[in-house]
Amino acid sequence: MKFLDIVRSAIQNSFRNKLRTGLTVVAIFIGAFTLTITSGIGTGVTAYINGQVSAIGAADVLTITKAADATATASDGPAAYDPSKSTTVSLGNGSRPGSTIQALTTADLAKIKATAGILSVDPAVRVSPDYVEYAGNGKFELTVSQTGTITTADLAAGAQLDNSSSSDQLLLPTTYLDNLGYADAKAAVGTTVSIGITDYTGTQQTVTATVVGVQNETLLGSGAGLNRSLVAHLHTVATTGEPAGVSAGYATAVAHFDVSATKAQITAIKDDLSAQGYSSQTVADTIGAFETVINVIIGVLNAFAVIALIAAGFGIVNTLLMSVQERTREIGLMKAMGMNGGRVYALFSMEAVFIGFLGSALGVIAAIGVGSLISNLLANGIFSALPGLQVVQFAPASIAIIVGVVMLIAFLAGTLPARAAARQNPIDALRYE
Amino acid sequence: MSVPVLSAQVIGKSYGSGANRFDALKGVSLDIQAGESVAIVGKSGSGKSTLMHLLALLDDPDSGVLLVEGTDAKKLKAKELNRLRNQDFGFVFQQFFLTANATVLENVVLPLTIAGVGAKERKSRGMAALEQLELADKAKNKAKNLSGGQKQRAVIARALVNNPKVIFADEPTGNLDSATGAVVEDILFKLNKENGITLIIVTHDTELAARCDRQIFIRDGLEETADSPTGTHKRGGAHS
Ligand SMILES: Nc1ncnc2c1ncn2[C@@H]1O[C@H](COP(=O)(O)OP(=O)(O)OP(=O)(O)O)[C@@H](O)[C@H]1O
Ligand SMILES: [Mg+2]
């Protein structure tokens, strides 16, 4: 029997009992649909995160903190007091409430600077302004983005921060516009806002700065970005009246390395730092942490989809065993007329593969339709603040893999019935009532 | 004398085991020469179909030896066995075995499909076979919608579509009225005379048996000797 004839009669045979084939196809459809949607979410989110990583830039920056004491884990209780250790500092927003880390001292900074591959290191100065106000429209709390100074913002209007400029600049998040009293993003560019900050003695002072741009929200939070000049200015104001030697420690430091460093070189620098007791993260690492969480969720969803497909596989076994039994005589006849066992096997396997193909193709098509629809609805709805995020995206390669995997599962499910068919003795099969 | 196409030497076949064991064939010997027409005659349940299935290599005998053109059938490779079944033998089964939902043409060309013959040639050869049996107008009908006699003719068309050397026919006229039965008989004997196709026909019909060159009488799994006093034998003998 020719291969084409086998395919053709396998397809015809699978339509002989439409209800039974239909129900099996539905079972496969559900599995393939789920798998396509979850992998689509994976593709969409990964594409968005990768886009963010490359858009944010600052590929040559490491954020360095002192590694947490290995001994001071929660179950062990607090570590014994060591007077030679520097003080701990509380981390600002973004970290676990109440968590503290060891502060970096000037000696630490020197050690980091001496590490091979590190070009420069600056202590990260944290400033906590009290409010921001525009044109007397009321005072609003101002959250400062810790990474805002060194990263490239996803702009809605205006320009990036200029760190070499001596003028005080800031980038406002789109969410601030309404409250501050701007009509739109364009209207904010070039305006001057006043920022209130309390100095060491408890007196509130005001600093003015120019809004150079408006940025879209990113995964790194929705704080305002300040340029170096403004940070320095605010820091000077905040430390007015501070006795000498008080702020000897820094929570984090920002180190630069060669921008053309390879992944392996970056890893080497990080390993070197961690051997000295510092933990360091690139911007990509920070964002990558989101990806890890999302990948875990997608992994769990995929596992459910695969379980559904395995259940569907048993549906195929059942369907085909029934059809082998129904067609016992036909198999006997074909064998009596010289069809070899291998071809009989191929005929039934092909039928299983076809059922698998039908279910997965329909499931994938439906998933693409539904997924695109939902993705567009979400992009214009709850994710409208994250432009460029298409939650569900479909990569042709992963779609092909899904269809291929389902067909493979179907083939494996078909082997048992197909073997039963191929082994039949022609005359026993013909006598079967 | 040339090597017989088929030669059975004391072949036996039993079904079941233990107390349920039933000896359907108890040692039958016969030679069938190329171009012969042989009738296998006997009462219902005597073992005719069993014998035919063994001769057609559809089943293995439990005892005795079966030679196909001088070769022991047991020593045939699976591939050679399939080639024999597919190209040298044509079968007409007592119960037809048509695929109900396939068309008559699809049913008739099944041996060609299995052989891997192309679709065009399948169609032309299938139609030719159907025309011989005056069934061409039913080619596109579903097999289940044929009358009993039409089904009988369809399975005969299927048996001869691959131009076999030997046709095995189990009650080929059992379901036909005498007129159609005569048409079918004429076709079979014409193939025998003109193309030299060997005919092995299992039948109850004494007249059909009488048209064959030779009759083999089976009774309770054994061949009856020529001088046994059965009516069928006498009449068959008288004709030949
Ligand atoms: N698979 C089987 N299992 C048990 N017994 C069987 C089997 N096949 C045939 N028999 C028995 O073997 C005997 C011969 O059967 P067979 O079909 O050869 O008879 P037959 O001569 O062709 O009869 P008929 O003219 O009615 O077709 C019968 O008694 C039948 O019951
Ligand atoms: Mg019979």
Side-chain angles (χ1 to χ4, degrees):
Chain A
M1 208 169 182
K2 282 189 175 159
F3 179 72
L4 223 77
D5 285 321
I6 289 182
V7 175
R8 209 172 44 90
S9 51
I11 293 174
Q12 278 175 354
N13 290 342
S14 62
F15 283 120
R16 269 201 224 166
N17 195 327
K18 292 192 183 66
L19 181 65
R20 200 170 60 203
T21 304
L23 289 174
T24 314
V25 165
V26 167
I28 299 164
F29 173 94
I30 293 169
F33 180 87
T34 319
L35 207 54
T36 310
I37 290 279
T38 52
S39 94
I41 294 174
T43 311
V45 171
T46 309
Y48 176 69
I49 287 175
N50 287 343
Q52 290 263 308
V53 170
S54 55
I56 283 167
D60 60 342
V61 173
L62 275 176
T63 309
I64 299 173
T65 54
K66 217 162 186 180
D69 254 330
T71 50
T73 57
S75 55
D76 289 344
Y81 173 67
D82 177 1
S84 68
K85 258 192 193 165
S86 64
T87 50
T88 58
V89 288
S90 177
L91 284 172
N93 71 57
S95 67
R96 198 149 41 89
S99 66
T100 57
I101 55 165
Q102 297 286 325
L104 293 164
T105 60
T106 339
D108 288 323
L109 292 179
K111 258 170 88 182
I112 293 167
K113 178 92 202 281
T115 305
I118 299 287
L119 302 178
S120 68
V121 59
D122 297 301
V125 181
R126 254 166 228 270
V127 287
S128 318
D130 301 330
Y131 66 84
V132 60
E133 183 179 24
Y134 168 65
N137 290 333
K139 296 173 178 172
F140 295 93
E141 284 184 14
L142 177 62
T143 311
V144 174
S145 162
Q146 298 302 333
T147 48
T149 310
I150 50 168
T151 56
T152 312
D154 176 15
L155 291 175
Q160 300 288 349
L161 294 171
D162 181 0
N163 280 324
S164 54
S165 160
S166 58
S167 65
D168 294 343
Q169 301 177 346
L170 85 162
L171 285 177
L172 283 178
T174 47
T175 47
Y176 278 51
L177 296 177
D178 263 1
N179 289 1
L180 290 177
Y182 293 110
D184 55 30
K186 273 213 183 87
V189 179
T191 57
T192 305
V193 291
S194 41
I195 299 166
I197 188 158
T198 310
D199 69 16
Y200 197 80
T201 59
T203 326
Q204 201 170 56
Q205 304 195 25
T206 337
V207 172
T208 56
T210 312
V211 178
V212 289
V214 177
Q215 67 180 107
N216 289 315
E217 272 184 273
T218 70
L219 284 174
L220 292 180
S222 55
L226 316 181
N227 77 340
R228 246 185 216 142
S229 160
L230 182 56
V231 172
H233 194 167
L234 289 172
H235 185 65
T236 317
V237 173
T239 52
T240 308
E242 186 183 78
V246 168
S247 50
Y250 306 96
T252 59
V254 175
H256 287 256
F257 52 88
D258 189 354
V259 77
S260 60
T262 62
K263 264 208 173 103
Q265 284 170 319
I266 297 173
T267 314
I269 296 172
K270 282 160 67 179
D271 287 348
D272 201 352
L273 286 170
S274 98
Q276 299 177 63
Y278 306 104
S279 71
S280 52
Q281 276 195 312
T282 60
V283 175
D285 289 340
T286 314
I287 295 178
F290 288 96
E291 206 174 351
T292 311
V293 173
I294 287 160
N295 281 344
V296 168
I297 296 170
I298 288 167
V300 171
L301 292 175
N302 277 344
F304 281 120
V306 169
I307 289 170
L309 280 176
I310 289 170
F314 282 96
I316 295 181
V317 176
N318 198 24
T319 304
L320 283 182
L321 275 178
M322 274 156 79
S323 93
V324 167
Q325 202 153 48
E326 259 172 29
R327 304 217 298 266
T328 303
R329 284 189 163 194
E330 208 184 313
I331 297 163
L333 182 69
M334 289 190 296
K335 293 195 87 173
M337 292 187 166
M339 180 122 144
N340 67 32
R343 296 286 158 84
V344 175
Y345 183 94
L347 191 60
F348 280 89
S349 293
M350 191 59 75
E351 192 175 330
V353 169
F354 175 70
I355 292 175
F357 170 75
L358 207 63
S360 59
L362 291 177
V364 161
I365 290 169
I368 292 177
V370 172
S372 308
L373 197 75
I374 290 179
S375 183
N376 285 338
L377 286 179
L378 289 181
N380 298 328
I382 58 169
F383 292 143
S384 56
L386 294 176
L389 174 56
Q390 282 284 339
V391 194
V392 199
Q393 274 179 32
F394 301 98
S398 54
I399 300 272
I401 288 172
I402 290 169
V403 175
V405 164
V406 173
M407 283 166 75
L408 182 72
I409 292 177
F411 172 78
L412 293 178
T415 50
L416 189 78
R419 258 178 48 176
R423 282 186 171 176
Q424 279 181 5
N425 171 338
I427 209 68
D428 288 347
L430 285 173
R431 283 205 193 264
Y432 179 86
E433 294 292 332
Chain B
M1 213 157 116
S2 61
V3 183
V5 191
L6 289 165
S7 169
Q9 293 164 8
V10 224
I11 52 170
K13 178 79 187 171
S14 29
Y15 295 108
S17 58
N20 291 325
R21 190 182 147 101
F22 179 78
D23 297 321
L25 276 187
K26 297 167 185 161
V28 174
S29 301
L30 56 92
D31 281 354
I32 292 166
Q33 301 296 335
E36 253 192 315
S37 58
V38 178
I40 300 175
V41 199
K43 281 201 304 196
S44 175
S46 56
K48 304 183 298 291
S49 296
T50 305
L51 176 61
M52 195 196 89
H53 292 151
L54 291 179
L55 291 175
L57 307 179
L58 295 177
D59 213 351
D60 301 319
D62 297 327
S63 60
V65 182
L66 184 73
L67 303 176
V68 183
E69 287 176 332
T71 318
D72 188 346
K74 279 206 187 81
K75 298 203 174 100
L76 287 173
K77 292 208 174 69
K79 207 177 161 190
E80 177 62 10
L81 185 66
N82 281 327
R83 197 200 62 78
L84 272 172
R85 286 174 180 170
N86 186 242
Q87 296 182 8
D88 290 357
F89 295 169
F91 303 99
V92 178
F93 294 101
Q94 200 168 3
Q95 303 93 333
F96 305 151
F97 299 134
L98 287 164
T99 305
N101 282 313
T103 67
V104 173
L105 184 64
E106 280 165 352
N107 269 291
V108 166
V109 300
L110 184 61
L112 301 179
T113 311
I114 290 170
V117 175
K120 251 195 186 152
E121 192 186 337
R122 274 198 320 242
K123 193 176 173 197
S124 64
R125 284 170 67 177
M127 288 310 294
L130 282 171
E131 257 152 40
Q132 266 188 301
L133 287 136
E134 293 159 21
L135 260 184
D137 55 324
K138 297 284 180 189
K140 291 199 163 61
N141 287 39
K142 288 257 165 80
K144 63 179 173 191
N145 297 332
L146 294 183
S147 74
Q150 288 167 336
K151 282 180 186 163
Q152 183 79 67
R153 282 184 280 156
V155 296
I156 292 170
R158 182 174 67 191
L160 52 86
V161 75
N162 56 346
N163 295 322
K165 288 187 189 157
V166 186
I167 289 182
F168 297 90
D170 202 344
E171 306 282 6
T173 57
N175 295 279
L176 302 178
D177 59 86
S178 53
T180 328
V183 171
V184 167
E185 279 178 34
D186 288 345
I187 290 163
L188 288 174
F189 284 105
K190 197 172 143 213
L191 287 166
N192 174 248
K193 298 264 142 46
E194 291 177 5
N195 304 359
I197 293 176
T198 312
L199 286 183
I200 299 172
I201 303 174
V202 171
T203 186
H204 284 116
D205 181 347
T206 47
E207 281 179 37
L208 172 56
R211 278 185 76 172
C212 293
D213 300 339
R214 201 145 64 87
Q215 295 77 32
I216 291 164
F217 298 91
I218 302 292
R219 181 177 195 162
D220 296 334
L222 282 169
E223 190 185 357
E224 280 187 300
T225 45
D227 52 60
S228 72
T230 55
T232 320
H233 181 205
K234 270 185 188 155
R235 277 180 61 194
H239 275 271
S240 62

